[in-house]
Amino acid sequence: MTIHLPQGPYEPRTTPLDLAPNGAPLASRTVFSAAHVVADPYADISPDDPAAVDWDATLAFRRHLWSHGLGVAEAMDTAQRGMGLDWAGAAELIRRSAAEAKSVGGRIACGVGTDQLTGPAGLPEVRAAYEEQLALVEESGAQAILMASRALAAAANGPEDYLETYAHLLRQATEPVVLHWLGPMFDPALEGYWGSADLDAATDTFLKVIAEHPDKVDGIKISLLDAEREIDVRRRLPGGVRCYTGDDFNYPELIAGDDRGFSHALLGIFDPLGPLAAHAVRVLDTGDVQGFRDLLDPTVELSRHLFEAPTRFYKTGVVFLAWLAGHQDHFTMVGGLQSARSLPHLAKAYELADGLGLFPDPGLAESRMRALLTVHGGSR
């Protein structure tokens, strides 16, 4: 039956893609999905209160990703880190997810930041906050991802402060870490990271950190939505240091690569695309680059829609699609972030995702979309 969306009438598809779980590891690329958290919809809290998380549903979604052979990037931006999930909640998420990963044999890496600092802080406090979180992640048995820090961006006076801070942390790390450069389109407080608003100068500082500690850097994640800059940085990395694309606009071409290299992946869009992304990489494992592109290229329109400006609210679309897909029973988010995108935006996300066959039960997705339209007074 036709469903009348704000953008016009739409005929939902009736059959999903056949993407049964295949837990075998991916071979040609290391792929992490940055996973969202599921809120407890019955918690009597306000948006300013600490997050109330539905731990069972949150861990079930991670098991879903692991069942398809994907790694989980935990307590990252997609999990509303710093946008509804505070450090106490993130710490509990890391402990629980790391234990779950160990029990099912799933790969996990966890974000290390400074979000326990809630007021002005100097460089010593920034280092101490990073150290506290690094210790917790390492104690949990997960790999560490050193995230960009709002507190460091506010406290640093130039590139040298970044070089000294990261050198200190890398000396502390017991195992190689992933360095994460998150651009201001994802978090405006990170403008001028690495000591300069000039991206060429910032890139040089970023690369200097890696060059001085290549044995402590497993890889880098770049989230600047700039494919050419990622390729340039990728080609300048020391041997053995991987590039994990965080580019939710250009991921198919970056993962496919060229004759001079390729990117691995650590992506928020691989939360809703998990099964399809894993299937595509398995096709790439056979050497079929065109088959890989044929599967992933059509998903870019959905990803660009979810990550459109203001990009930091992409999490709303990710959780919305998880609800439509049946991974959770409600469309409620920590911090009340379900209100961050408009009904037309969500309706377009539904249309694009349904057209791709992403919903395991298209009928369920349609009925939930109709319910949302009814709540908004737009059902016809």
Side-chain angles (χ1 to χ4, degrees), residues 173-206:
T174 58
E175 299 291 340
V177 307
V178 176
L179 297 181
H180 185 192
W181 183 0
L182 190 70
M185 67 288 295
F186 289 94
D187 187 343
L190 299 177
E191 181 72 44
Y193 210 74
W194 303 109
S196 178
D198 181 304
L199 285 180
D200 290 335
T203 298
D204 288 342
T205 302
F206 183 51

Side-chain angles (χ1 to χ4, degrees), residues 20-95:
N22 178 351
L26 307 178
S28 62
R29 303 289 188 272
T30 300
V31 180
F32 289 98
S33 167
H36 73 279
V37 295
V38 182
D40 178 355
Y42 293 108
D44 185 13
I45 58 173
S46 75
D48 294 330
D49 292 331
V53 177
D54 181 337
W55 294 112
D56 289 342
T58 293
L59 294 176
F61 187 76
R62 279 136 184 82
R63 290 193 297 272
H64 154 71
L65 294 172
W66 285 318
S67 75
H68 287 274
L70 298 166
V72 168
E74 189 56 275
M76 302 290 291
D77 186 63
T78 309
Q80 296 180 240
R81 190 83 181 264
M83 288 186 68
L85 188 70
D86 62 11
W87 166 235
E92 184 67 11
L93 179 64
I94 289 166
R95 293 188 191 98

